[in-house]
């Protein structure tokens, strides 16, 4: 099933196109829009396979809308539907999948749907061809092999796994053997630790080879490194995306959903690797900065539901953050969610007073009293 959205400033044209596409079959209409601005906003939150787009529209020409769509989804097939032939060259420059001149026949539309299907098939084939092992460091440490993407690499020992994680953590840089020993076997004498290191290296090389993982362990200058051979780790992609968002003047809302889908937990979470703690805190801090930027962005755009979502994610990471907690309580009160506001009060009180053993800030206490009064008032009304 091909999911599409339709954009045209004429309701009759939208209705006709929807009817014809349903006659073609195997097409799901994910949305119809008279306003191209609303359609572009929706694309940040809706997964679609193609866009049918009119060209002559008030407020924004279809070619300009197409360029904005390209900035959100560079590979998304775009099909222009227009009564004007003179825009064909500009449509070609935008790399549109098709250019339908109104009025068009059902047979011509069937040909367009076939083109969309072929384009999507090529994208899937390209993704399959470029598949590489998946190295995931957010929410733990896992490596998955391309032939069996749901099956994790099996390790002979826990230290072999930790050694692999440690070398990948250093991103291809050669790490001195003594530094590795100090990080992984600090409690053992040097000779015994060296023996453990070389045993683990032997296990690691064999495990990677036997399970078709093209990560190569190199030795040189009294150190070792892991060559990833163009394998990209999830944490590298995550950091790149977060830094891109921090540098953006015009926020791309698709990035909000993308980064939250990528965040499966802390760096090397649950692994108990002491050497990973500094990196873990660094990434967590970066994610928090970006979430705060999103909360302000959505607040300014009066998209309060997503402002709430970003603040809730912040409190999940730092439950004792009174600044973020106060912002979330105020948002809930503004939305009329007095029960939710009160729930956040209780969670913040638990995190600060009970778990940290600290007193709440005066501004927080004042907000708490206001929230409790509103909560009591609501209970009395009911």
């Amino acid at each position: 099933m091909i999911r599409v959205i339709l954009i045209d400033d004429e309701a009759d044209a939208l209705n006709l196109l929807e009817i014809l596409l349903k006659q073609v079959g195997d097409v799901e209409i994910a949305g119809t829009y008279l306003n191209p601005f609303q359609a572009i906003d929706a694309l940040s939150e809706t997964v679609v396979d193609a866009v049918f787009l009119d060209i002559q529209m008030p407020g924004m020409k279809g070619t300009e809308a197409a360029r904005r769509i390209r900035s959100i989804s560079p590979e998304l097939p775009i099909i222009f539907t227009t009564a004007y032939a003179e825009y064909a060259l500009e449509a070609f420059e935008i790399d549109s999948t098709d250019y339908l001149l109104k009025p068009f026949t059902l047979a011509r539309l069937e040909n367009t749907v076939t083109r969309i299907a072929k384009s999507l098939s090529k994208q899937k084939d390209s993704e399959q061809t470029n598949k590489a092992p998946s190295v995931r460091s957010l929410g733990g440490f896992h490596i998955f092999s391309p032939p069996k993407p749901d099956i994790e690499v099996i390790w002979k020992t826990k230290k072999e796994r930790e050694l692999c994680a440690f070398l990948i953590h250093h991103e291809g840089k050669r790490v001195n053997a003594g530094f590795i020993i100090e990080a992984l076997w600090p409690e053992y004498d040097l000779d015994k630790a060296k023996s453990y290191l070389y045993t683990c290296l032997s296990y690691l090389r064999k495990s990677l080879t036997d399970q078709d993982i093209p990560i190569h362990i190199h030795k040189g200058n009294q150190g070792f490194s892991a060559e990833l051979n163009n394998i990209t780790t999830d944490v590298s992609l995550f950091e790149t995306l977060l830094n891109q968002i921090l540098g953006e003047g015009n926020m791309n809302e698709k990035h909000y959903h993308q980064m939250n889908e990528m965040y499966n937990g802390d760096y090397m979470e649950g692994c108990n690797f002491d050497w990973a703690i500094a990196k873990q805190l660094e990434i967590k801090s970066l994610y928090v900065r970006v979430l705060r930027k999103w909360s302000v962005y959505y607040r300014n755009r009066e998209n309060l539901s997503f402002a709430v979502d970003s603040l809730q994610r912040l409190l999940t990471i730092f439950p004792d953050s009174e600044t973020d907690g106060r912002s979330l309580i105020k948002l809930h009160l503004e939305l009329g969610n007095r029960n939710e506001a009160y729930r956040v009060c209780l969670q913040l009180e638990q995190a600060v007073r009970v778990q940290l053993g600290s007193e709440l800030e005066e501004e927080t206490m004042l907000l708490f009293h206001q929230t409790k009064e509103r909560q009591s008032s609501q209970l009395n009304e009911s």
Side-chain angles (χ1 to χ4, degrees):
M1 185 71 71
I2 298 170
R3 283 173 55 85
V4 302
I5 65 168
L6 317 179
I7 309 170
D8 198 309
D9 64 308
E10 296 181 5
D12 289 342
L14 277 178
N15 293 335
L16 177 60
L17 180 55
E18 185 172 1
I19 290 168
L20 290 174
L21 284 170
K22 286 179 178 177
Q23 290 179 18
V24 171
D26 202 33
V27 177
E28 177 187 347
I29 311 299
T32 58
Y33 298 90
L34 294 167
N35 185 320
F37 293 97
Q38 292 177 351
I40 291 168
D41 285 342
L43 277 173
S44 299
E45 304 172 10
T46 307
V47 177
V48 299
D49 298 313
V51 175
F52 284 80
L53 178 61
D54 186 27
I55 289 184
Q56 284 285 17
M57 295 183 292
M60 182 189 296
K61 281 179 59 178
T63 48
E64 172 59 25
R67 288 187 171 88
R68 295 197 185 188
I69 290 169
R70 279 276 175 266
S71 70
I72 298 171
S73 299
E75 305 299 325
L76 186 66
I78 295 175
I79 300 88
F80 287 106
T81 59
T82 179
Y84 304 92
E86 59 265 32
Y87 296 105
L89 178 59
E90 190 175 1
F92 176 79
E93 291 172 349
I94 297 170
D95 194 23
S96 61
T97 299
D98 208 345
Y99 191 91
L100 293 174
L101 277 172
K102 301 176 182 177
F104 44 81
T105 64
L106 181 62
R108 180 68 181 85
L109 188 59
E110 287 174 343
N111 181 268
T112 298
V113 172
T114 300
R115 286 191 185 189
I116 296 170
K118 286 181 178 178
S119 175
L120 295 173
S121 178
K122 285 181 181 178
Q123 288 181 28
K124 288 180 181 178
D125 289 344
S126 176
E127 289 171 3
Q128 291 292 329
T129 302
N130 295 327
K131 263 192 174 179
S134 172
V135 178
R136 303 180 196 171
S137 303
L138 296 172
F141 176 72
H142 312 276
I143 299 180
F144 298 86
S145 181
K148 300 175 182 177
D150 297 324
I151 298 177
E152 186 177 352
V153 167
I154 299 170
W155 309 102
K156 290 182 178 67
T157 68
K158 290 181 180 180
K159 281 298 180 183
E160 174 202 7
R161 172 175 174 261
E162 183 176 1
L163 177 60
C164 185
F166 186 79
L167 293 174
I168 290 174
H169 168 83
H170 285 86
E171 301 175 333
K173 297 173 184 174
R174 184 167 285 115
V175 187
N176 183 274
F179 189 68
I180 298 174
I181 289 170
E182 184 61 32
L184 271 66
W185 294 278
E187 71 277 17
Y188 290 94
D189 65 70
L190 186 58
D191 289 338
K192 187 176 287 187
K194 280 184 179 178
S195 175
Y196 287 150
L197 171 60
Y198 284 99
T199 299
C200 277
L201 284 167
S202 176
Y203 284 160
L204 177 56
R205 287 185 172 120
K206 190 172 190 309
S207 293
L208 294 173
T209 301
D210 290 349
Q211 296 176 75
D212 298 319
I213 306 297
I215 297 175
H216 298 141
I217 307 302
H218 297 294
K219 178 184 178 182
N221 296 330
Q222 297 183 333
F224 300 89
S225 63
E227 182 186 348
L228 297 184
N229 294 304
N230 297 319
I231 298 170
T232 306
T233 64
D234 64 340
V235 69
S236 173
L237 293 172
F238 187 60
E239 286 183 288
T240 300
L241 177 60
L242 294 183
N243 284 311
Q244 180 183 343
I245 294 169
L246 282 177
E248 283 179 350
N250 297 319
M251 305 282 276
N252 183 341
E253 293 185 12
K254 189 173 183 178
H255 289 164
Y256 179 74
H257 306 284
Q258 188 179 351
M259 74 172 195
N260 290 326
E261 286 176 4
M262 292 176 70
Y263 184 74
N264 294 314
D266 286 341
Y267 180 66
M268 303 284 183
E269 184 178 330
C271 294
N272 296 319
F273 300 156
D274 290 343
W275 47 264
I277 291 174
K279 178 83 169 178
Q280 185 181 96
L281 293 174
E282 178 187 328
I283 293 169
K284 186 185 289 188
S285 175
L286 182 60
Y287 185 40
V288 163
R289 286 172 60 200
V290 175
L291 281 171
R292 284 182 179 142
K293 183 176 181 180
W294 279 115
S295 71
V296 172
Y297 168 82
Y298 282 124
R299 185 71 183 83
N300 290 339
R301 285 178 62 109
E302 297 186 353
N303 190 338
L304 300 188
S305 61
F306 277 104
V308 165
D309 181 74
S310 58
L311 288 168
Q312 285 176 334
R313 292 178 187 275
L314 277 165
L315 284 180
T316 300
I317 298 170
F318 286 124
D320 58 338
S321 173
E322 294 190 48
T323 302
D324 298 316
R326 288 194 298 265
S327 296
L328 182 55
I329 292 166
K330 290 174 184 176
L331 266 178
H332 278 310
L333 291 174
E334 189 172 339
L335 288 165
N337 302 331
R338 284 179 282 189
N339 288 336
E340 285 299 307
Y342 187 61
R343 181 186 60 80
V344 176
C345 287
L346 295 177
Q347 287 182 345
L348 197 57
E349 191 172 36
Q350 172 75 15
V352 176
R353 281 185 170 164
V354 179
Q355 296 181 11
L356 287 184
S358 300
E359 286 301 316
L360 291 160
E361 295 170 8
E362 185 176 346
E363 186 179 351
T364 307
M365 287 299 302
L366 184 62
L367 185 59
F368 273 26
H369 290 312
Q370 293 173 356
T371 305
K372 288 178 181 178
E373 285 174 4
R374 295 191 190 188
Q375 176 71 3
S376 298
S377 173
Q378 183 180 30
L379 291 173
N380 291 332
E381 290 172 5
S382 61

